[in-house]
Amino acid sequence: MESAVASAFLKAVMGRLFMALEKEYSKHKGLAQEAQSLQLDLRMIAAVMDDQLRAMGRATTADARTAVARLHAEEMLDLAHDVEECVDRFLHRLTCRQHRGGAGAGASSSSLVRRMAHELSKVQSRSSFADEIQRLKTRVREAQQRIIRMKPTLDVLAGGGGGGGQLTGAAGTSSTAPSCRASRIPVGIAEPVEELLSMLDEVDGEPEQMRVISVVGFGGSGKTTLVKAVYDDPRAKDRFSRRAWVTVGSSPSPETSNGMKGILRAVFQQVLPKDAIDADGQHLETSLKEYLKDKRYLIIIDDIGMDQWNIIRSTFEDNGTSSRIILTTTIQSVANMCSHGNGYVYQMNTLGEEDSKELAFPGFRSPELEQGSASLLGKCDGLPLALVSVSDYLKGSNEPTGELCAKLCRNLGSHLKEQDGHYSFSELRKVLLDNYDSFSGYPLSCLLYLGIFPNNRPLKKKVVIRRWLAEGYARTDSLRSEEDIADENFSKLIDRNIIQPVDTRNNSEVKTCKTHGIMHEFLLNKSLSQIFIAKSSRDHPRLGVNTNARHLSFHSGELTECVASDEELSHVRSLTVFGHAGDAICYVRRCKLIRVLDLQECSDLDDDHLKYICKLWHLKYLSFGSNISELPRSIDGLHCLETLDLRRTQMKFLPIEAIMLPHLAHLFGKFMLHEDDVKSVNKMSKLQKFFSSKKSNLQTLAGFITDKSKGFLQHIGHMNKLRKVKIWFKHVEGSNNYIADLSRAIQEFTKAPIDRDTDRSLSLDSEECPENFLSSLDLETCSEGSKYALRSLKLNGELHKLPPFVNLLSGLTELCISSPMLTQVHLSTLINLNRLLYLKLVAYKLENFEIKHGAFPSLRRLCFVVKSVTSALPTIKHGALPNIISLQLLCQGPVGLSGIEIRHMKHLKEITINSGVVVQWEQAAKNHPNRPKVLFLRKVDPMESEERERPCAIREQMKITVAQPTSSGDGLNSSLNKIRLSEPPSSRLEMPVRHMVDGH
């Protein structure tokens, strides 16, 4: 809730502040009282913010915030950020001076002068800080007074916005549109209508039962239009003797009996003559249940919420007549819960290019229009409501032209604003504001944060979450961790379909995602207007207007002229550069309090620029691009750094100064310890002492290269917080000690600490080693009372058999194996892994593969990737894979059913193939009670692939490429990294859908 967010925000800020005050000034008399006063001032600010936000919550209408409430919430959020900046600037002046080493041994004769100046500056800092606190308190009082003056108006709005809400109904025999939101020009829905109609039928051999079909998608995606077409279809009319349509929306109050009665009455009026309804409205639920008990009915409930469904669902009991209830919602979790069990969830997709043009420019086509409208259609992103809004706007002119479309594209954001918007976009505006208003406090910051990134490429979930954590956008006053809060915020964005999954990992967790195009445009303009983001690009050359923004995002060298001034960019919390940065990267040193520096896609950053970056003491997240080849030892100046991403660099060696950063939690790349450091006894001793004293915070080390020099191997056992490791093995001739060191290091990592039960992930790549190298690794059986804590294991190399230690990993839940050939021997080794949830097997050829009855009782997702066109698919016996949800058969040759019987896989939801007999698989899916989706591999732009992060083997255009036995490079284990999947080709442009991939 908003009220909890403000105090949570300031609680973390105050904690850091007063710890510093106590440490720095405890020796000064009188400062304890000053510190206490400052603490009370900040607590008062937090309390006032909470009171105001609670008041705004009570003063809103039933269906959305008022514009006044929205502006006030934004003002209070901005104030919260300003309080943190005030504290950070104060702490920066204190802490940075302590680390500048001005008074060490051998100090010059001017040290006394420096100390006196330092004491004087501390007094000035305290005075300046107190003055700024007073200014913040004044701002709070002014905001409070504004709300008091507006309270009478807000009370009127709140009183007029409640009530029982409006319900609209379509008569059971009428084809009149049940809601004004249904598109006037249904386009591109022929195939979805057929698919939805097929869900009205029962599967042969299955008992007749009621099913709930949930149609879910972003607002304006055409859910109502699609369901209306199904409702009016003669086939639906013939199948159901009783039909009703109710549009709920967010107006009805589900907590009241009036809200429930309104829905039930609307249904009753359509399935039964009006004169048969209980006149006083009593016993509606009982009467409706009694009337429908032997009827086959179709009920449409448009735009429902979970609370409303929970209240009314008991009315619609399963009467064994194959009745159907179709719900529409914008919330994924609502759809999943409503259809849980024997129901279906239908996910709306966006329109393809041709359908988008037809909807936006009906009757008009010309080369000039095609070229001029491309960017505009890209922003609409196939959303029907956005395209209809564009069409309505263009109708106000004499005729649509490419020039007019280009102008609309430039100004589209302003049309989505409340005050400045064109009336043609009013309905679209409401959809976007409804999504915006569902977030507040820190989650609202997370939402606005999406505007930093370009909308034409996928976002990596873990990158976004790590950046949020570095920015402090996942704080809470609860006992939950910040990581859990950040993950929850991300899940809410997914749940509302604001961001859409592009790829998923082996465990079904979202890996990459994409912000919905029109929502991204709306958020970007919101962020720019609130000076939350300053963005400079061809489409948004606005950075020079205000350098007080908290987040700077630059495209293609626009940075120089914007910040080439003497002004300190003290408000800047993040800098993200895409493309050419020019000389302007030098000005990053003015961003004294910057937390995030994302230069992964900066094309002209080089080693010389790092001298500026290594002075950013508060930096928490840092990523570099391909031009960086060496880290300077001055990186030890990045005291607060938590994430260091070197995957796209050319770096081969890492200085120990980077490893010894006290707060570093996530280190990504492919490197070895610097040769000079490994040869230095003093440095290795220093590193050993650092790990042994438990000062390291390292959780992810992905990864490093090993050779005969021990390097990282001798230290893994002392990294007590390490959870994820990736190792590339280098070939070493005739070294038994090397194998012993590797085995010992892996065993140390995989054993669970006594005081923790941490899930751990290990990836081993032996592609550059002789065949069967991995099989020579030998781990001892754990002693009684201890166990192996490994949950995820990835093996890549030429494996004649699996390493013996795999069988010891009884707690393993995720396993990925890549080898030129995999046989039944490999599979037999895995039979005892009863907890395995995710299994991926990648090979040039499968030989004699058979999954027998009872095998893999816990497995949820199984993926085979086979390169050879002659290799046979595995045989899956009846009774195997009882809990399988996703089956992926990605083979180079044709993929027919091959004797695989999916009917007995009662939990199956999706089947993925890259080639094969489409009709066979679609028919098999229709004969399955769950009607699993049949997904097909498609080609994608290489820019969408995560494998840009590091050099990799050359791959074919089809992303199914799997290395043959003589391959080199990243090899088999990365073969899925570029796969995208889609449903069968149609006029609709399908969002890339889930598939199993590696990576961190």
Side-chain angles (χ1 to χ4, degrees), residues 192-250:
V193 164
E194 292 300 319
E195 186 171 352
L196 212 54
L197 279 170
S198 71
M199 294 179 182
L200 302 182
D201 295 329
E202 285 293 356
V203 176
D204 290 341
E206 293 295 312
E208 294 188 344
Q209 56 187 316
M210 190 188 78
R211 296 185 188 273
V212 178
I213 303 168
S214 297
V215 180
V216 60
F218 189 74
S221 60
K223 299 182 295 295
T224 303
T225 302
L226 172 59
V227 174
K228 173 63 167 56
V230 171
Y231 186 80
D232 287 340
D233 193 280
R235 289 168 287 182
K237 293 179 180 180
D238 292 341
R239 293 176 194 174
F240 300 95
S241 60
R242 296 294 182 268
R243 302 186 310 132
W245 180 300
V246 181
T247 298
V248 179
S250 53

Side-chain angles (χ1 to χ4, degrees), residues 960-994:
I960 191 64
T961 302
V962 180
Q964 298 192 28
T966 56
S967 64
S968 61
D970 285 352
L972 299 174
N973 208 32
S974 62
S975 61
L976 277 181
N977 285 352
K978 288 191 175 183
I979 291 176
R980 288 298 181 280
L981 307 171
S982 70
E983 295 185 43
S986 69
S987 59
R988 299 166 65 86
L989 176 62
E990 310 290 350
M991 270 297 295
V993 297
R994 299 180 297 275

Side-chain angles (χ1 to χ4, degrees), residues 38-54:
L38 294 176
Q39 186 172 12
L40 289 173
D41 287 343
L42 285 174
R43 284 176 175 167
M44 185 61 69
I45 289 176
V48 171
M49 290 172 66
D50 286 350
D51 288 344
Q52 295 303 319
L53 291 169
R54 286 191 189 99

Side-chain angles (χ1 to χ4, degrees), residues 355-362 377 387-388 390-392 394:
D355 287 335
S356 295
K357 291 176 182 178
E358 182 180 345
L359 203 54
F361 319 119
L377 292 179
L387 295 163
V388 169
V390 166
S391 179
D392 288 347
L394 295 176

Side-chain angles (χ1 to χ4, degrees), residues 281-341:
Q282 298 298 317
H283 312 300
L284 264 175
E285 182 178 4
T286 303
S287 299
L288 184 57
K289 186 186 298 185
E290 177 67 21
Y291 180 76
L292 294 176
K293 68 178 182 179
D294 58 351
K295 308 292 191 302
R296 190 183 190 202
Y297 56 84
L298 173 63
I299 308 295
I300 310 291
I301 306 180
D302 192 21
D303 198 12
I304 197 171
M306 196 63 215
D307 292 335
Q308 295 144 337
W309 175 245
N310 282 336
I311 291 174
I312 67 172
R313 64 179 174 178
S314 60
T315 305
F316 306 104
E317 294 181 338
D318 187 357
N319 56 12
T321 61
S322 292
S323 295
R324 295 289 183 266
I325 297 177
I326 301 180
L327 312 174
T328 71
T329 179
T330 59
I331 312 298
Q332 192 70 46
S333 58
V334 171
N336 294 341
M337 287 187 284
C338 290
S339 295
H340 180 71

Side-chain angles (χ1 to χ4, degrees), residues 4 11 91-92 137 156 175 233 318 387 391 396 418 460 506 520 557 620 638 658 670 748 750 859 938 965-966 973 988:
K11 179 179 179 181
L91 290 176
H92 179 72
K137 291 171 66 178
V156 171
S175 61
D233 193 280
D318 187 357
L387 295 163
S391 179
E418 297 164 85
K460 299 174 193 171
N506 295 352
H520 183 273
K620 292 188 175 183
L638 301 181
K670 187 176 180 180
E748 287 295 325
T750 55
L859 202 67
R938 72 174 178 88
T966 56
N973 208 32
R988 299 166 65 86

Side-chain angles (χ1 to χ4, degrees), residues 697-742:
N697 194 46
L698 200 60
Q699 300 172 29
T700 304
L701 180 57
F704 64 91
I705 306 170
T706 68
D707 61 5
K708 60 183 178 182
S709 62
K710 292 186 178 181
F712 282 104
L713 293 179
Q714 70 186 83
H715 301 294
I716 283 182
H718 300 288
M719 301 180 191
N720 62 309
K721 293 185 179 181
L722 203 58
R723 293 185 300 187
K724 184 175 292 187
V725 174
K726 181 164 187 178
I727 307 173
W728 284 273
F729 299 133
K730 241 182 155 179
H731 176 50
V732 176
E733 291 287 349
S735 178
N736 293 330
N737 290 336
Y738 178 47
I739 298 295
D741 290 340
L742 286 174

